[in-house]
């Protein structure tokens, strides 16, 4: 296989970039309002200060409910994680990833080792009539819009560090392959929009989350970018800062998926 030259790499890096969008100002101001609050009582008082309209102030309604759910976990002494399954972690810890799509009726979130139809279609592209159909890769969560699959997630029960085998496999192999399959399907459906298409993945290992962005700057290559890790709060004192950053990057990923 031919290696890219330095000039080709620089050209690909700068062509039709898709940086993470800014966090919506209204949401950012709301999250910043919790900074400095270090007790459950203070956080609950602030989060219950007023309620927001689902349709008119969706980001704020979503953030408010997400914060309340996290406070509930601390009341229930849910941490540290012990024998929770991956399904438990999705259902209780990362609820905010599912619920951020609640106001979009043209996008569904499906959980529970879902097989990717885009992956299956790509793997069976050259299948002969007498060959058995190959299964597509499975994901812990699939994001499915009217356009088709536009994103997915990989979840692990534990954070074994950045060099953990499962995390390395998810970030370096499994998730990018699924995102590429989804991109392949989208490009075939919408070839005129190739340079605008983006697929988005999230990798959650225990209480650590990274976003992964895949786009198609050229007909012969896909480009993958990863965010720094963000961590779910493990103490009441870090709820405001850590959860705020998690909700912020989730809103950014949401914006890329929708647009």
């Amino acid at each position: 296989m031919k290696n890219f030259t330095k000039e080709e790499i620089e050209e690909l890096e700068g062509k039709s970039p898709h940086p993470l969008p800014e966090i919506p100002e209204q949401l950012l101001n709301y999250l910043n309002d919790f900074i400095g609050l270090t007790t459950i009582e203070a956080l609950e008082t602030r989060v219950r200060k007023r309620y927001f309209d689902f349709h008119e102030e969706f980001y704020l309604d979503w953030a408010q409910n997400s914060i309340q759910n996290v406070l509930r976990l601390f009341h229930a002494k849910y941490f540290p994680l012990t024998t929770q399954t991956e399904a438990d972690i999705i259902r209780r810890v990362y609820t905010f990833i599912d619920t951020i799509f609640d106001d979009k009726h043209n996008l569904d979130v499906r959980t529970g080792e879902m097989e990717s139809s885009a992956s299956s279609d790509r793997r069976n592209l050259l299948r002969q009539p007498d060959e058995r159909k190959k299964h597509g890769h499975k994901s812990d969560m699939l994001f499915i819009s009217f356009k088709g699959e536009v994103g997915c997630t990989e979840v692990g029960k534990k954070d074994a560090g950045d060099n953990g085998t499962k995390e390395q496999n998810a970030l370096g192999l499994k998730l990018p392959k699924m995102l590429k399959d989804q991109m392949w399907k989208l490009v075939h459906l919408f070839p005129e929009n190739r340079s605008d298409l983006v697929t988005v993945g999230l990798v959650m290992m225990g209480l650590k989350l990274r976003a992964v962005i895949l786009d198609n700057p050229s007909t012969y290559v896909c480009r993958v970018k990863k965010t720094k890790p963000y961590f779910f709060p493990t103490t009441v004192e870090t709820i405001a800062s850590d959860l705020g950053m998690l909700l912020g990057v989730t809103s950014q990923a949401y914006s890329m998926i929708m647009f």
Side-chain angles (χ1 to χ4, degrees):
M1 180 182 293
K2 175 182 176 292
N3 292 327
F4 291 112
T5 65
K6 180 180 178 181
E7 291 74 20
E8 287 174 328
I9 292 174
E10 290 176 350
E11 179 184 357
L12 289 171
E13 287 179 342
K15 187 175 182 181
S16 302
H18 292 93
L20 283 173
E22 296 292 327
I23 299 171
E25 183 177 3
Q26 189 181 40
L27 174 62
L28 185 61
N29 290 337
Y30 179 72
L31 296 175
N32 285 337
D33 201 34
F34 290 85
I35 298 298
L37 304 181
T38 57
T39 66
I40 287 185
E41 292 75 17
L43 290 163
E44 286 183 328
T45 298
R46 184 64 55 85
V47 79
R48 294 171 179 171
K49 190 174 181 181
R50 60 159 294 197
Y51 288 92
F52 301 99
D53 183 84
F54 178 91
H55 299 287
E56 299 298 327
E57 302 168 297
F58 176 74
Y59 269 126
L60 302 184
D61 175 77
W62 165 74
Q64 182 179 56
N65 279 284
S66 298
I67 295 169
Q68 289 178 314
N69 286 337
V70 171
L71 292 175
R72 187 179 185 88
L73 291 178
F74 276 87
H75 275 302
K77 301 188 184 303
Y78 197 77
F79 306 107
L81 297 179
T82 53
T83 60
Q84 287 91 340
T85 65
E86 293 172 2
D88 292 331
I89 293 171
I90 293 172
R91 180 173 56 88
R92 297 300 305 273
V93 176
Y94 292 108
T95 307
F96 55 87
I97 293 173
D98 190 338
T99 56
I100 196 171
F101 297 102
D102 282 353
D103 72 327
K104 300 300 179 185
H105 303 302
N106 60 353
L107 192 145
D108 294 319
V109 181
R110 295 291 177 258
T111 63
E113 285 293 305
M114 298 293 297
E115 180 176 336
S116 166
S117 63
S119 174
S120 177
D121 288 347
R122 196 270 307 164
R123 298 188 71 191
N124 290 284
L125 184 62
L126 301 178
R127 183 172 69 96
Q128 299 300 313
D130 59 341
E131 292 180 333
R132 179 175 295 181
K133 184 177 180 180
K134 298 175 182 177
H135 288 288
H137 294 296
K138 292 184 178 181
S139 173
D140 294 300
M141 300 175 75
L142 276 179
F143 307 133
I144 308 170
S145 79
F146 69 96
K147 298 183 295 185
E149 294 174 10
V150 292
C152 56
T153 73
E154 275 299 306
V155 179
K157 293 185 290 185
K158 296 180 180 180
D159 174 14
D162 292 349
N163 294 320
T165 301
K166 182 160 186 173
E167 182 169 346
Q168 287 286 304
N169 182 62
L171 283 170
L173 185 62
K174 186 175 181 181
L175 194 77
K177 286 179 67 174
M178 289 192 65
L179 294 177
K180 184 179 179 181
D181 289 342
Q182 293 173 343
M183 176 62 70
W184 169 83
K185 187 67 175 289
L186 291 172
V187 167
H188 278 75
L189 292 173
F190 306 98
E192 69 281 3
N193 301 121
R194 175 191 294 270
S195 62
D196 298 321
L197 295 172
V198 174
T199 53
V200 177
L202 297 170
V203 174
M204 294 91 83
M205 292 291 146
L207 301 179
K208 178 170 67 178
L209 177 147
R210 292 180 193 262
V212 180
I213 313 300
L214 183 142
D215 59 11
N216 189 211
S218 171
T219 56
Y220 58 89
V221 68
C222 286
R223 176 174 53 193
V224 177
K225 293 187 177 180
K226 307 166 189 173
T227 69
K228 68 179 184 180
Y230 296 87
F231 295 90
F232 197 90
T234 56
T235 66
V236 173
E237 290 78 12
T238 60
I239 289 177
S241 57
D242 288 352
L243 182 61
M245 288 189 285
L246 276 177
L247 297 182
V249 74
T250 301
S251 74
Q252 291 174 300
Y254 162 87
S255 296
M256 296 203 77
I257 289 174
M258 298 310 303
F259 306 109

